[in-house]
Amino acid sequence: METDVLGWPYERHTIDLGTDDEGPVVATLVRRRAETPTGRAVLHVHGFVDYFFQTHMADFFVERGWDFYALDLRKYGRSLLPHQTPNFARSLTDYFPELDEAARIIREDDGHDQLLVAGHSTGGLITSLWAHTRQGRGIIDGLFLNSPFFDFNLPWLIRRPLMSAVLAANGRTPYRKMPVASLGLYGMSLHSDHHGEWNYDLAWKPILGFPVTMGWLEAIRRGQRKLRAGLAIDVPVLVACSTRTFRGRSWHDDVRQSDSVLDVEHIVRWAPRLGHRVTIARFDGGMHDLTLSGKEVRSEVFRELGRWVNGFLPAPGTQERLIPPAPEDQAGIATALEAAEAAVEHVTADEADDKSGTTA
């Protein structure tokens, strides 16, 4: 570990991932330890055109005794090397090695007993697929998905048949750039140079985003199709998103009170396909990255996250609470108790008769 670009107490560790067709590949694991650790840790995974800079999210967890980790995936943020195409991937499984190594470091090297994974947008899609393929191994204990990228925010005709035709025609040119609407409005809603309140590295997270390549588009499409077909994640999942989608093409104040990147109804529609223990929480006025929403909204997001964690991820060693029976079951229990008492009385009466007969 060495001191991170954010300065102390943030540290970072470079994960060597070998080489691909563009050359050497790395990922970067950022860490901030809690002053009073509890053996619990959270791993944050960013979205597309993104990297970890949300230190207030780390504050939330370390104040509760959780060690905080964030992973800048290959070709993103701290891990983007000069010879690489920003954010490029041929398959979302390309990211599994750094997720595996990050989890190993957190559990084995740093000795944590409990791990919550938090994925935003594309990171939410990637971590969902990873959690599904690692089920049954006890690697993670919970999954928090912040506006996960479950479907493209496009009309059905474009996101299904037309996209299939375009990708089929360009299957041999994965680095070819596809003209798409920029993320400019969303970038303007975040950065303090425009309409936002956040300051971050525009080389790693440019206002207009990075070009979308055919290879990345196909990787996302395959991952989304697998998710929509149904996963079997075996840990509790919290899916959070805004209540509104912004569909304008020019600046409006509503950009700062809605999701201007994804269709939130897609998120709600596909969330139940993740597994059997999925909670959905929606936040009025929430932005695409809910933790970067206005102060009141993000405070509500963290409150809800805290309640969910307390309910579904109690600290290791916490005594399990006894759940009282449902009201409709209480009548049945009462009837069973009455029957049991009657049986005991009957047996007692029979025993008394037997004794009196013996005496006679």
Side-chain angles (χ1 to χ4, degrees):
M1 287 283 184
E2 60 182 0
T3 303
D4 184 57
V5 293
L6 293 172
W8 186 258
Y10 293 92
E11 305 169 283
R12 69 179 180 188
H13 168 69
T14 300
I15 300 173
D16 186 352
L17 296 168
T19 61
D20 65 5
D21 59 335
E22 290 190 306
V25 182
V26 299
T28 310
L29 184 64
V30 179
R31 178 179 70 186
R32 178 182 167 187
R33 290 191 180 277
E35 291 186 8
T36 307
T38 59
R40 310 167 85 185
V42 58
L43 175 63
H44 167 75
V45 182
H46 57 78
F48 183 61
V49 189
D50 205 359
Y51 73 101
F52 169 65
F53 65 91
Q54 300 90 335
T55 56
H56 62 291
M57 185 177 183
D59 293 340
F60 171 81
F61 282 101
V62 298
E63 288 170 2
R64 288 156 178 78
W66 294 64
D67 285 343
F68 182 87
Y69 295 79
L71 183 64
D72 277 13
L73 300 167
R74 63 185 70 196
K75 306 187 182 184
Y76 283 87
R78 298 164 178 81
S79 308
L80 180 60
L81 303 178
H83 60 272
Q84 293 177 329
T85 302
N87 303 181
F88 179 81
R90 293 178 182 271
S91 171
L92 298 188
T93 60
D94 291 349
Y95 301 114
F96 289 6
E98 52 255 55
L99 286 165
D100 287 337
E101 179 62 8
R104 188 199 65 78
I105 291 172
I106 293 169
R107 282 200 175 271
E108 297 181 12
D109 292 356
D110 291 354
H112 292 91
D113 302 317
Q114 193 174 58
L115 175 59
L116 168 66
V117 173
H120 167 57
S121 197
T122 305
L125 175 61
I126 294 168
T127 54
S128 295
L129 297 170
W130 175 69
H132 168 75
T133 60
R134 301 299 187 260
Q135 60 183 290
R137 302 186 189 182
I139 296 176
I140 70 172
D141 299 283
L143 190 61
F144 167 49
L145 304 179
N146 170 5
S147 303
F149 189 10
F150 290 164
D151 211 341
F152 291 96
N153 185 11
L154 297 167
W156 180 87
L157 185 64
I158 297 176
R159 71 177 190 268
R160 295 292 187 267
L162 184 58
M163 186 177 294
S164 296
V166 170
L167 291 173
N170 292 273
R172 296 185 179 182
T173 56
Y175 288 99
R176 182 177 179 180
K177 296 178 177 61
M178 181 175 182
V180 296
S182 77
L183 298 175
L185 289 180
Y186 181 56
M188 292 169 62
S189 72
L190 296 180
H191 202 274
S192 57
D193 286 350
H194 299 274
H195 300 280
E197 59 176 296
W198 309 101
N199 187 21
Y200 48 81
D201 192 330
L202 293 176
W204 291 344
K205 186 177 175 64
I207 297 295
L208 298 179
F210 290 116
V212 171
T213 60
M214 293 292 176
W216 178 87
L217 201 62
E218 175 60 20
I220 295 294
R221 179 172 167 269
R222 288 199 307 270
Q224 290 178 340
R225 287 176 63 184
K226 184 172 183 179
L227 182 143
R228 294 195 300 268
L231 304 181
I233 298 173
D234 59 354
V235 298
V237 183
L238 172 62
V239 178
C241 66
S242 179
T243 59
R244 289 178 278 171
T245 299
F246 181 80
R247 302 195 178 282
R249 295 191 177 185
S250 58
W251 177 260
H252 189 281
D253 287 343
D254 284 351
V255 176
R256 287 191 46 80
Q257 299 178 29
S258 54
D259 192 325
S260 58
V261 178
L262 299 181
D263 186 328
V264 296
E265 299 308 322
H266 290 163
I267 298 172
V268 174
R269 176 182 180 184
W270 300 116
R273 301 293 178 94
L274 294 166
H276 298 299
R277 289 179 288 173
V278 179
T279 303
I280 299 175
R282 306 186 70 173
F283 299 91
D284 191 33
M287 298 175 65
H288 178 53
D289 185 340
L290 292 168
T291 68
L292 301 181
S293 303
K295 185 176 180 179
E296 292 184 2
V297 176
R298 66 177 181 263
S299 294
E300 183 183 353
V301 170
F302 284 121
R303 282 195 300 270
E304 187 65 27
L305 175 58
R307 285 194 292 266
W308 180 83
V309 166
N310 290 339
F312 287 92
L313 273 76
T318 301
Q319 185 175 0
E320 186 174 354
R321 295 180 180 179
L322 294 177
I323 307 299
E328 60 269 24
D329 294 334
Q330 291 179 356
I333 292 173
T335 301
L337 288 173
E338 291 173 0
E341 290 173 356
V344 170
E345 291 175 358
H346 180 70
V347 170
T348 303
D350 289 344
E351 289 177 350
D353 290 341
D354 289 343
K355 288 180 180 179
S356 64
T358 303
T359 303

